């Protein structure tokens, strides 16, 4: 028997039986009537959908208690309500009503699973009116319960979603600045900030991290940091795989992810997880707990907390240049000189609360909040003690030989001169001239300094941050005297990243340079006010019109705070204003220069929106939807988005659905104003690359223009089939045309003429950077794909078995590239693209085009097992983001995940599992000796192989 689990639009608080509710339900099919009853009574229902579709419910008008109201609604039908011990109501066929089991447990002591298959779950996303199941939604929808979500080796939200949703991708981001701290994720092949994230249906604030190096596809994206949400606080996760900007606003181009928080008013859970990678590193400790409380039987309060720490992993080989140094006798070089793997999580603490309280029979107050803080640290690229320009290597001599960069502490051509040291072999440490400056007991040694004295084997900066995150949403919802359901809320969000970098130097400070810096702080603030209204209308014998409308006001602020003085100071060994001479040392904490006074500031924009969402049930076989949304932004103007959708039931086993919509993503305040300098590979080797606002004089000189919104046209068409009550299949095709995609340009080099023009205009930093990048509406793209989902419940060997299969094909093509003026070596101005062929391929081919997973879940007595087979097709990687010929075309991969759980009693259970049980690794990196990574760094199965864990769970 197939059931539907109805969760109301409200938070379904536990209320007393004497509470009266205002009902306005017309006579109609019982499945539709029960859905309206759940909404208007703010309660939870479980009912058999096949029987309910065949029964006709009575009209229910006026004020009734929950119990009396549902009895009158179902009077004379073959259905009857049963009160469950948890406060919910089950609707059952009269002939199937049996004596309830104590505590909802089976004879052998196992907890009874009230949700027997995935069809039962109901989501609030995708419609601004009534909730939808997977099968009666007009657009593709995935609903994940917390149980299937947590039965895996991954512990961060991004990886957990990627494991279960084939169209959702995320990979490791080692040595990628902010991307290492907040990994960008991609739904349906779109950038990380093209997916809207909701908590309990309310917009989540974006992270302060901007992914300057985002693996091509997410370059420049500023999305939501999903890892700040405690897994223990989540009841279910709803993934709407369709454009929804007309319903929810900016960012919802690829789709919407809604995290529904736990609203249990009793009981709790404590979980401990220990784990490690099979190669013996990445040790994990994770503690989770949650607790539900009743608020005087008129509401609930649910609290969750998590703590995690994890050691780093290493999948590195010695770099060729580092090994050359060692072979030449430089024994100070680290082994390996550079680490590739997941970073160290020193600590990760999260708290969440979710509460609601019934003010009266109509109105409810609700509040949910989230606090999180974590500290992460990982490595950067190795600085070779011979070749790192601006630190170790100076300008070549007249013969073209490289020279060691030596600081003359009393000034050039003043006092004692420093010897010229040519880098003629692979170990300058045994050079006679170097020995003169390294001996600090002599006048020459006291006056002359090279960073080889501080880091004789070179150095690898350690980059990290403390990330703090907070969110609060509070509001009131209920029903007016005219039967309009309303929801008024205020939301506040804050994200802060306080950067740190160590084991590095500010070369321009010479021997006075510290080796640890605080480069500065970035923060994102958001405030939202929402007013939402909904009401159903009967417009004929069989037709029902659902009308939803609302207003939204939002204000966003992005802030950069200066780092400590040493992290950005221009020391005397870069440029001496008294003599007008430069000694050639670079400026700022090497690897991540601090935010200086010119980089700091606070930038704000506001916007308001109005929307209308209409659904028309012409009859039981046809549902039509129409949504329109108008938004106005203070910084770039307005936008009008629309959406049409439909669901047609062909037979009781087959339905057809489709939608067409326009969408948009507004440029973020951070993208429009951020200043950042990072170190990246280029065809010339490591260089400092500045990312500057498009309104900054340097980008303007290079052809930059103010940012505009990305705009999309989304189309989807699918079928929904349910051949039996144990099997359902959904197949959906989608196509997304995205215009004016926002990205960072490839590094652009200023000509000598450009630099002089800027210097004459007072832009003194024009000569500081090896290259510059900026955000721009750079290109258009087309993405199409196919999603197939199959669920099948059966019995194998007298054991309840669930089979799940998901497949996704996504193909992205760059259609049109904007051209910008570039100055050729001969002085001629030519129009060229900012996107290199390698970056275009990264956008098109870095994510696997085909992904699939098949899961088998079985329950037998006290033992439950979960097996998941994952497939990833081949992919392309422009290794090291270098555009220097390090192209990798990697093959397909298959991994196996396993989780076996044993229930000791009704309270305790143990779970033993593995992610990538067979320890499969990606293809060997053919360029491993260049920078030391064993495997392609964007491998979809990660760098570190199999992860093995033990979970202990106590439920009370």
């Amino acid at each position: 028997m197939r059931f539907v689990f109805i969760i109301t639009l409200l938070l379904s608080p536990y209320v007393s039986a004497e509470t009266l509710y205002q009902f306005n339900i017309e006579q109609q099919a019982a499945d539709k009537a029960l859905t309206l009853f759940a909404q208007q009574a703010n309660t939870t229902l479980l009912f058999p959908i096949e029987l309910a579709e065949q029964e006709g419910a009575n009209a229910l008008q006026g004020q009734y208690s929950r119990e009396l109201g549902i009895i009158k609604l179902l009077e004379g039908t073959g259905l009857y309500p049963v009160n469950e011990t948890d406060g919910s109501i089950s609707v059952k066929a009269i002939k199937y009503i049996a004596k309830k089991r104590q505590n909802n447990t089976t004879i052998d002591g196992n907890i009874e699973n009230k949700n027997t298959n995935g069809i039962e779950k109901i989501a609030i996303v995708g419609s601004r009116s009534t909730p939808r199941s997977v099968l009666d939604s007009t657009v593709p929808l995935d609903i994940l319960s917390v149980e299937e979500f947590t039965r895996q080796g991954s512990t961060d939200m991004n990886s957990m979603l990627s494991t279960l949703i084939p169209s959702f991708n995320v990979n490791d981001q080692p040595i990628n600045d902010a991307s290492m701290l907040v990994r960008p994720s991609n739904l349906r092949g779109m950038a990380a900030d093209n997916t809207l994230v909701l908590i309990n249906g309310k917009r989540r604030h974006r992270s302060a991290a901007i992914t300057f190096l985002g693996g091509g596809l997410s370059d420049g994206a500023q999305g939501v940091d999903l890892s700040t949400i405690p897994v223990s606080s989540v009841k279910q996760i709803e993934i709407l795989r369709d454009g929804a900007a007309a319903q929810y606003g900016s960012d919802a181009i690829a789709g919407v992810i809604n995290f529904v928080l736990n609203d249990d008013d009793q009981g709790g859970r404590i979980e401990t997880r220990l784990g490690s990678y099979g190669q013996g590193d990445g040790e994990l400790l994770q503690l989770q707990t949650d607790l539900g409380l009743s608020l005087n039987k008129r509401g609930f309060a649910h609290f969750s907390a998590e703590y995690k720490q994890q050691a780093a992993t290493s999948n590195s080989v010695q770099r060729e240049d580092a090994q050359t140094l060692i072979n030449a006798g430089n024994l100070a070089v680290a082994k390996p000189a550079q680490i590739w793997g997941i970073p160290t999580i020193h600590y990760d603490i999260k708290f969440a609360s979710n509460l609601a309280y019934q003010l009266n029979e109509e109105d409810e107050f609700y509040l949910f909040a989230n606090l999180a803080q974590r500290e992460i640290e990982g490595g950067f690229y190795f600085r070779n003690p011979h070749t790192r320009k601006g630190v170790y290597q100076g300008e070549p001599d007249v013969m073209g030989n490289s020279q060691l960069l030596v600081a003359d502490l009393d000034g050039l051509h003043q006092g004692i001169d420093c010897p010229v040291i040519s880098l003629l072999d692979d170990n300058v440490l045994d050079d006679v001239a170097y020995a003169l400056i390294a001996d600090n007991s002599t006048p020459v040694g006291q006056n002359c300094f090279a960073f080889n004295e501080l880091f004789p084997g070179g150095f690898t900066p350690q980059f990290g941050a403390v990330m703090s995150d907070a969110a609060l949403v509070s509001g009131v919802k209920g029903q007016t005297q005219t039967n309009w359901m309303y929801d008024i809320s205020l939301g506040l969000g804050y994200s802060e990243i306080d950067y740190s970098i160590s084991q590095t130097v500010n070369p321009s400070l010479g021997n006075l340079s510290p080796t640890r810096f605080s480069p500065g702080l970035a923060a994102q603030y958001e405030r939202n006010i929402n007013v939402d209204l909904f009401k159903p209308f009967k417009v004929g014998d069989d037709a029902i019109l659902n009308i939803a409308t609302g207003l939204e006001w939002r204000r966003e602020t992005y802030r950069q705070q200066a780092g400590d003085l040493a992290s950005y100071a221009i020391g005397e060994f870069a440029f001496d204003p008294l003599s007008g001479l430069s000694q050639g040392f670079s400026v700022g904490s090497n690897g991540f220069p601090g935010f200086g006074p010119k980089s700091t500031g606070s930038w704000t924009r506001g916007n308001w929106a109005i929307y209308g969402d209409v659904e028309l049930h012409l009859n039981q076989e046809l549902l039509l939807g129409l949504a329109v949304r108008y938004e106005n932004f203070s910084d770039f103007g307005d936008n009008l988005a629309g959406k049409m959708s439909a669901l047609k039931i062909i037979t009781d086993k087959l339905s057809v659905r489709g939608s067409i919509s326009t969408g948009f993503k507004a440029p973020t305040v951070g993208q429009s104003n951020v200043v950042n300098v990072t170190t990246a590979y280029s065809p010339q080797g490591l260089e400092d690359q500045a990312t500057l606002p498009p309104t900054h004089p340097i980008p303007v000189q290079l052809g930059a223009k103010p940012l505009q919104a990305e705009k999309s046209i989304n189309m989807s068409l699918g079928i929904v089939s349910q051949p039996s009550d144990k099997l359902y299949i959904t197949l959906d095709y989608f196509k997304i045309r995205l215009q004016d995609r926002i990205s960072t340009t490839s590094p652009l080099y200023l000509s000598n003429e450009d630099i002089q023009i800027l210097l004459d205009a007072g832009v003194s930093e024009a000569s500081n950077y090896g290259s510059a990048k900026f955000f721009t509406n750079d290109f258009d793209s087309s993405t199409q794909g196919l999603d197939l989902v199959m669920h099948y419940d059966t019995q194998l060997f007298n054991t309840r078995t669930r089979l799940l299969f998901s497949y996704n094909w996504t193909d992205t093509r760059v259609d049109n590239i904007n051209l910008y003026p570039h100055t050729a070596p001969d002085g001629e101005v030519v129009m060229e693209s900012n996107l290199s062929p390698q970056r275009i391929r990264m956008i098109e081919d870095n994510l696997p085009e085909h992904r699939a997973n098949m899961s088998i879940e079985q329950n037998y007595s006290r033992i439950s097992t979960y097996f998941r087979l994952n497939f990833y097709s081949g992919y392309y990687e422009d290794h090291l983001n270098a555009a220097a010929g390090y192209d990798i075309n990697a093959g397909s991969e298959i991994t196996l995940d396993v989780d076996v759980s044993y229930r000791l009693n009704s309270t305790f259970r143990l779970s033993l599992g593995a992610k990538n049980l067979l320890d499969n690794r990606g293809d060997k990196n053919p360029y491993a000796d260049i920078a030391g990574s064993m495997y392609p760094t964007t491998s979809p199965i990660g760098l570190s192989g199999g992860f093995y864990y033990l979970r202990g769970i106590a439920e009370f």
Side-chain angles (χ1 to χ4, degrees), residues 479-681:
Q479 188 169 333
T480 68
Q481 293 183 351
T482 56
N483 297 321
W484 280 90
M485 297 181 68
Y486 73 89
D487 185 344
I488 303 173
S489 65
L490 168 67
L492 304 173
Y494 175 69
S495 172
E496 176 188 286
I497 300 182
D498 191 356
Y499 295 106
S500 63
I501 190 167
S502 61
Q503 293 181 216
T504 188
V505 294
N506 179 343
S508 69
L509 298 178
N511 60 328
L512 299 179
S513 173
T515 58
R516 176 178 290 274
F517 303 86
S518 296
L521 178 148
Q524 174 84 10
Y525 308 81
E526 294 186 21
R527 287 148 285 180
N528 295 273
I529 296 176
N530 292 84
V531 179
D532 300 301
L533 301 170
F534 164 71
K535 184 177 182 180
F537 296 88
K538 187 171 183 180
V539 293
D541 293 337
D542 296 322
I544 298 176
L545 180 67
N546 294 324
I547 296 180
T549 186
L551 297 168
E552 180 178 22
W553 175 86
R554 187 163 77 253
R555 193 169 183 85
E556 300 177 57
T557 299
Y558 180 79
R559 178 172 67 93
Q560 282 193 173
Q561 179 177 305
D564 57 47
L565 178 62
S567 69
Y568 64 83
I570 303 176
E572 62 178 300
F573 303 106
F575 179 76
D576 184 353
L578 297 177
S579 65
L581 299 175
S582 173
Q583 297 202 33
F585 287 88
S586 60
V587 174
S589 46
N590 194 264
F592 195 91
F595 301 142
K598 292 185 179 180
S599 303
T600 61
S602 179
W603 303 274
T604 299
R605 70 120 176 265
N607 77 288
W608 61 270
I610 182 171
Y611 76 88
D613 194 329
V614 176
E615 288 187 347
L616 177 60
H617 297 257
L618 287 174
N619 48 53
Q620 294 187 15
E621 289 77 36
L622 182 61
L623 168 63
L624 301 175
L626 175 66
V628 178
R629 186 183 184 97
Y630 173 80
E631 296 211 28
N632 184 275
F633 291 79
S634 61
D635 56 350
F636 79 89
D638 55 8
N639 183 84
L640 181 67
K643 180 173 184 176
M644 294 186 295
S645 59
L647 174 70
K648 172 63 177 176
I649 300 176
I650 307 299
T651 69
D652 60 350
K653 299 183 187 315
L654 181 66
S655 301
V656 178
R657 63 188 179 191
S659 71
I660 185 169
S661 63
T662 61
F664 75 105
K665 189 200 82 70
T668 72
V669 185
Q671 289 172 331
S672 297
N673 297 282
V674 69
V675 177
N676 181 69
V677 178
T678 188
T679 304
Y681 256 89

Side-chain angles (χ1 to χ4, degrees), residues 635-846:
D635 56 350
F636 79 89
D638 55 8
N639 183 84
L640 181 67
K643 180 173 184 176
M644 294 186 295
S645 59
L647 174 70
K648 172 63 177 176
I649 300 176
I650 307 299
T651 69
D652 60 350
K653 299 183 187 315
L654 181 66
S655 301
V656 178
R657 63 188 179 191
S659 71
I660 185 169
S661 63
T662 61
F664 75 105
K665 189 200 82 70
T668 72
V669 185
Q671 289 172 331
S672 297
N673 297 282
V674 69
V675 177
N676 181 69
V677 178
T678 188
T679 304
Y681 256 89
S682 74
Q684 293 77 36
L686 285 181
E687 70 173 16
D688 293 333
Q689 297 176 353
T691 301
L692 302 171
T695 53
H696 188 280
I698 291 178
V700 169
Q701 181 68 23
L702 295 169
K705 297 178 181 179
L707 291 175
Q708 298 298 315
E710 299 178 342
K711 295 184 179 181
S712 70
I713 298 177
N714 296 51
M715 184 272 287
S716 69
L717 181 64
I719 59 173
V720 180
S721 176
Q722 189 178 2
S724 71
D725 61 351
K726 295 182 178 180
L727 172 67
Y728 80 84
I729 304 170
T730 64
L731 179 65
D732 295 276
Y733 169 81
F734 65 91
K735 187 168 186 177
I736 305 171
R737 291 290 305 273
L738 187 53
Q739 295 180 319
D740 295 328
R741 288 185 64 163
I742 297 174
S743 179
T744 54
T745 66
S746 295
L748 302 177
Y749 299 91
L750 291 163
S751 67
N752 292 332
E753 182 180 357
D754 290 329
I755 294 174
Q756 191 58 51
I757 291 173
L758 290 165
L759 291 175
D760 292 344
V763 185
S764 58
E765 65 267 35
S767 57
N768 290 349
Y769 308 128
S771 62
K773 301 189 294 183
F774 53 89
F775 288 94
T776 181
N777 297 99
D778 218 14
F779 62 101
D780 303 337
S781 68
S782 296
T783 299
Q784 62 177 336
L786 200 66
D787 290 311
L788 172 65
V789 178
M790 300 174 61
H791 282 219
Y792 181 54
D793 285 314
T794 186
Q795 291 282 329
L796 289 179
F797 309 109
N798 294 321
T799 301
R800 176 185 174 273
T801 303
R802 177 182 296 173
L803 303 176
L804 303 94
F805 177 78
S806 299
Y807 164 78
N808 169 259
W809 163 65
T810 298
D811 178 68
T812 296
R813 290 290 172 260
V814 174
D815 298 326
N816 181 58
I817 305 171
N818 293 335
L819 302 179
Y820 297 85
H822 290 250
T823 303
D826 60 1
E828 181 183 0
V829 177
V830 296
M831 302 298 290
E832 293 181 353
S833 166
N834 286 324
L835 293 180
S836 66
Q838 289 85 355
R839 281 195 67 195
I840 293 174
R841 283 205 63 189
M842 287 291 286
I843 294 167
E844 295 181 338
D845 301 325
N846 182 236

